[in-house]
C-alpha cells in the first residue's frame, strides 16, 4: 500500500472514531512517514517545517473569532434574532416554515458565493454571520447539516467556475498556468467551460442534500452563552441607538479594512478595537472576550496548522509521485479506468492537504503528461485536473471549506465537525464530483 493512501486512511478512520482531528493528522503523518521509510527525525523536521504554512490563516481566524464574540457580547445578535423570531411568529407555530427555511438558506448561499468574488473575504464572514442565526435556526428546527452543505457549496463551487475574485486566482493564476507549463495549450476561456460538468455534479448533490437527506426537522437547544459579566440577552436590554450605529460601522469597517490591507488580522483587530471603545461591553471584560473568541476558533487554527505539517511530510516522503506511478501501472490501455484512477488519486492527495489551491501544482505536473498519453482532449484534461484537485476541498477534515461552516455552526457546541460537516459534504459533493468529473473527461 502507498504511504499516502495509508496515512489518509489512518487520518479518516481516527476522525470518524471521534478522535481529535489534530491528533489524527499528527498520527497519520507519523504512520505515513515511517511506512515510507523516513527516519523519525526527518519526519519531525518536515512536519515542523510545514507548520508555518498554516499559521497565518490560523491567527486570522482567531482574531475574527474574537470580533464575533465581541459582537455577540454587545447583545445586537440576540436582539436581531429575537425580533426575527417575533416577526415571523416562530414561537406561535410556523405556518410557512419551508418558505422561511429556504429563504434563510438562500441568504446564506448568496453570502457564501459573494465571499468568493463580490466581497472576497472567503470564510471570514462565517463566524460573524452564522452564530447570530443559530437561535433562529433552532426555532425553525433546521438541520445544521443542510446549512453546512449550503455554505460549503457557496465557498467552493464559485471559485471553480467563475473567473472572478478567488475564481480568477484558481482558474487563471493557478490551474491555467500550471496546465500550460506542463505541456497543455489551453486558453483562459476554456477553463471555466470545462468545469461546468463537474460543478453540475456538486449542484445536484446540493439539491439532494436540501430536498431529501436533511429535509426533516432536527431539534437543538437554545444556549445563551455568557461572555463576561452579562449574557447577550441582558446586554441587549440596554443597547443604545448610537451603539447600534457603532456596531454597523464596525461590521462595514472590518470588511473594508480587510479588503484594503489584504489582511483578515488587521480587519478583525479594527472591528474589535472599535467595539472596545464603544462601551457595548465593560473595558475590563475585553481581555476575557478576546481570549474566548480566540478559543472558539482555536480548533480551526490548530487543524489547519497540523494539516500544513501533514502535507509537508507527505510531499517530503516522495510517495505522492509514487502513488501516481503505481496507479498508472494498473490502468493498461483503458481510458475510462485511467480517468477514474486519476480522480480517485486526486481525492487521496487533496484529502490530506485540504486545499485545492495547493494541490494544483502537484496534480498538474503528474496528470497532464499522463492525460496526453491516454489521448484526452485539452478540455477533458482541464476537467480531470480541476476536479481531482477540488475533490478534497469539499470533504476533507482539514479543509477550510468544512472548518469554516463548523466554526459558525458549532458556536454553541451542538455541531460536530466530522459527522455534521465533513461526512455530509463528502457524500453530497465528492461522490458527484468523481462521477461528473469522469463524465466530463470521457465526453469533452
Amino acid at each position: 500500500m502507498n504511504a499516502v493512501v495509508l496515512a489518509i486512511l489512518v487520518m479518516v478512520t481516527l476522525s470518524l472514531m471521534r478522535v481529535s482531528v489534530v491528533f489524527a493528522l499528527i498520527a497519520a503523518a507519523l504512520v505515513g512517514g515511517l511506512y515510507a521509510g523516513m527516519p523519525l527525525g526527518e519526519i519531525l523536521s518536515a512536519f515542523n517545517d510545514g507548520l508555518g504554512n498554516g499559521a497565518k490563516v490560523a491567527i486570522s481566524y482567531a482574531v475574527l473569532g474574537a470580533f464575533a464574540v465581541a459582537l455577540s457580547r454587545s447583545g445586537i445578535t440576540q436582539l436581531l434574532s429575537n425580533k426575527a423570531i417575533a416577526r415571523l411568529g416562530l414561537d406561535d407555530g410556523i405556518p410557512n416554515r419551508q418558505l422561511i427555511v429556504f429563504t434563510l438558506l438562500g441568504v446564506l448561499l448568496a453570502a457564501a458565493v459573494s465571499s468568493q468574488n463580490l466581497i472576497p473575504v472567503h470564510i471570514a464572514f462565517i463566524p460573524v454571520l452564522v452564530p447570530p442565526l443559530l437561535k433562529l435556526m433552532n426555532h425553525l428546527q433546521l438541520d445544521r447539516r443542510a446549512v453546512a452543505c449550503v455554505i460549503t457549496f457557496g465557498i467552493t463551487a464559485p471559485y471553480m467556475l467563475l473567473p472572478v475574485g478567488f475564481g480568477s486566482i484558481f482558474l487563471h493564476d493557478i490551474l491555467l498556468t500550471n496546465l500550460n507549463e506542463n505541456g497543455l495549450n489551453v486558453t483562459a476561456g476554456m477553463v471555466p467551460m470545462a468545469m461546468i460538468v463537474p460543478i453540475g455534479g456538486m449542484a445536484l448533490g446540493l439539491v439532494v442534500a436540501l430536498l431529501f437527506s436533511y429535509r426533516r426537522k432536527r431539534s437543538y437547544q437554545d444556549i445563551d452563552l455568557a461572555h463576561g459579566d452579562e449574557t447577550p440577552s441582558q446586554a441587549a436590554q440596554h443597547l443604545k441607538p448610537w451603539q447600534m450605529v457603532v456596531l454597523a460601522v464596525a461590521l462595514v469597517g472590518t470588511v473594508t479594512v480587510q479588503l484594503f490591507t489584504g489582511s483578515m488580522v488587521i480587519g478583525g483587530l479594527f472591528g474589535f478595537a472599535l467595539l472596545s471603545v464603544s462601551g457595548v461591553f465593560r473595558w475590563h471584560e475585553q481581555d476575557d472576550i478576546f481570549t474566548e473568541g480566540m478559543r472558539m476558533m482555536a480548533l480551526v487554527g490548530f487543524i489547519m496548522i497540523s494539516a500544513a505539517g501533514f502535507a509537508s511530510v507527505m510531499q517530503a516522503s516522495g510517495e505522492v509521485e509514487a502513488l501516481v506511478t503505481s496507479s498508472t501501472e494498473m490502468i493498461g490501455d483503458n481510458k475510462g479506468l485511467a480517468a477514474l484512477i486519476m480522480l480517485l488519486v486526486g481525492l487521496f492527495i487533496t484529502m490530506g492537504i485540504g486545499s485545492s489551491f495547493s494541490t494544483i501544482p502537484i496534480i498538474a505536473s503528474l496528470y497532464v503528461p499522463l492525460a496526453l498519453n491516454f489521448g484526452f482532449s485539452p478540455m477533458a484534461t482541464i476537467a480531470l485536473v480541476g476536479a481531482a484537485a477540488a475533490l478534497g476541498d469539499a470533504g476533507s477534515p482539514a479543509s477550510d471549506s468544512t472548518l469554516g461552516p463548523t466554526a459558525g455552526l458549532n458556536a454553541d457546541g451542538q455541531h460536530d465537525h466530522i459527522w455534521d460537516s465533513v461526512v455530509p459534504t463528502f457524500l453530497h459533493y465528492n461522490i458527484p464530483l468523481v462521477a461528473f468529473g469522469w463524465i466530463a473527461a470521457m465526453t469533452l
Side-chain angles (χ1 to χ4, degrees):
M1 180 182 292
N2 182 272
V4 174
V5 175
L6 177 62
I8 297 299
L9 290 176
V10 169
M11 186 259 291
V12 171
T13 301
L14 290 176
S15 297
L16 292 175
M17 292 171 62
R18 297 187 183 275
V19 173
S20 168
V21 178
V22 175
F23 181 92
L25 283 165
I26 296 173
L30 288 171
V31 171
L34 290 172
Y35 189 79
M38 297 174 66
L40 181 60
E42 187 178 334
I43 296 172
L44 296 177
S45 177
F47 188 86
N48 292 334
D49 289 342
L51 295 180
N53 296 330
K56 177 182 176 181
V57 178
I59 190 65
S60 299
Y61 294 158
V63 173
L64 285 171
F67 176 58
V69 168
L71 279 176
S72 176
R73 172 60 184 82
S74 72
I76 187 64
T77 58
Q78 187 75 23
L79 184 64
L80 293 175
S81 291
N82 290 340
K83 285 188 174 182
I85 291 169
R87 183 176 292 274
L88 296 171
L90 301 185
D91 287 327
D92 305 319
I94 312 176
N96 298 311
R97 177 183 176 275
Q98 286 297 104
L99 176 61
I100 298 171
V101 164
F102 281 107
T103 300
L104 177 59
L105 293 175
V107 169
L108 290 171
L109 179 61
V113 171
S114 300
S115 73
Q116 304 303 300
N117 37 65
L118 187 62
I119 309 175
V121 295
H122 197 36
I123 69 170
F125 77 98
I126 296 174
V128 177
L129 177 63
V130 175
L133 296 173
L134 292 182
K135 187 174 181 180
L136 178 60
M137 295 179 195
N138 294 347
H139 283 249
L140 290 168
Q141 294 183 299
L142 174 59
D143 194 327
R144 295 185 191 180
R145 291 174 295 182
V147 180
C149 288
V150 166
I151 296 176
T152 298
F153 180 86
I155 59 180
T156 53
Y159 76 71
M160 288 188 274
L161 184 63
L162 305 175
V164 290
F166 286 104
S168 177
I169 298 173
F170 179 80
L171 295 173
H172 293 166
D173 298 347
I174 299 179
L175 181 56
L176 177 66
T177 299
N178 279 276
L179 288 172
N180 286 333
E181 285 180 352
N182 286 281
L184 206 63
N185 185 20
V186 294
T187 62
M190 297 169 64
V191 181
M193 294 298 294
M195 293 300 293
I196 289 178
V197 176
I199 300 306
M202 290 187 68
L204 178 62
L206 177 63
V207 172
V208 172
L210 297 184
L211 298 184
F212 299 98
S213 304
Y214 309 122
R215 186 179 181 178
R216 294 182 179 180
K217 297 178 181 179
R218 195 178 188 190
S219 298
Y220 300 89
Q221 294 180 339
D222 285 340
I223 299 177
D224 197 3
L225 301 176
H227 304 297
D229 296 341
E230 296 179 308
T231 64
S233 297
Q234 293 169 332
Q237 296 175 5
H238 51 77
L239 193 61
K240 299 174 183 177
W242 70 269
Q243 290 176 323
M244 295 185 187
V245 174
V246 173
L247 288 166
V249 172
L251 281 168
V252 175
T254 297
V255 175
T256 303
V257 170
Q258 179 186 333
L259 295 176
F260 181 74
T261 63
S263 170
M264 284 193 285
V265 174
I266 301 301
L269 286 176
F270 174 84
F272 186 87
L274 199 57
L275 294 181
S276 296
V277 300
S278 69
V280 294
F281 51 83
R282 296 180 177 88
W283 184 260
H284 74 270
E285 296 178 300
Q286 65 167 331
D287 183 52
D288 290 338
I289 290 173
F290 194 89
T291 302
E292 183 179 343
M294 295 188 74
R295 187 184 303 120
M296 181 180 76
M297 298 294 286
L299 177 62
V300 174
F302 280 114
I303 289 175
M304 300 200 78
I305 290 173
S306 302
F310 174 87
S312 179
V313 173
M314 292 301 98
Q315 292 182 41
S317 70
E319 289 293 297
V320 174
E321 293 81 358
L323 175 60
V324 177
T325 303
S326 61
S327 299
T328 56
E329 294 174 356
M330 70 175 69
I331 294 172
D333 297 325
N334 192 322
K335 189 175 181 181
L337 181 60
L340 180 61
I341 292 295
M342 281 192 275
L343 288 167
L344 293 177
V345 169
L347 171 62
F348 274 98
I349 295 173
T350 319
M351 280 285 286
I353 296 176
S355 169
S356 57
F357 287 73
S358 302
T359 309
I360 286 288
I362 303 171
I363 294 287
S365 64
L366 301 171
Y367 279 20
V368 171
L370 190 60
L372 292 176
N373 183 55
F374 275 97
F376 288 104
S377 70
M379 290 285 283
T381 305
I382 296 170
L384 270 175
V385 175
L391 273 166
D393 240 8
S396 169
S399 169
D400 52 8
S401 300
T402 56
L403 287 167
T406 297
L409 294 168
N410 194 44
D412 60 359
Q414 299 184 80
H415 183 87
D416 183 75
H417 175 56
I418 297 299
W419 290 102
D420 293 335
S421 285
V422 175
V423 172
T425 54
F426 183 93
L427 292 176
H428 292 90
Y429 297 141
N430 280 5
I431 294 175
L433 261 176
V434 170
F436 280 70
W438 184 87
I439 293 172
M442 300 304 294
T443 57
L444 291 178

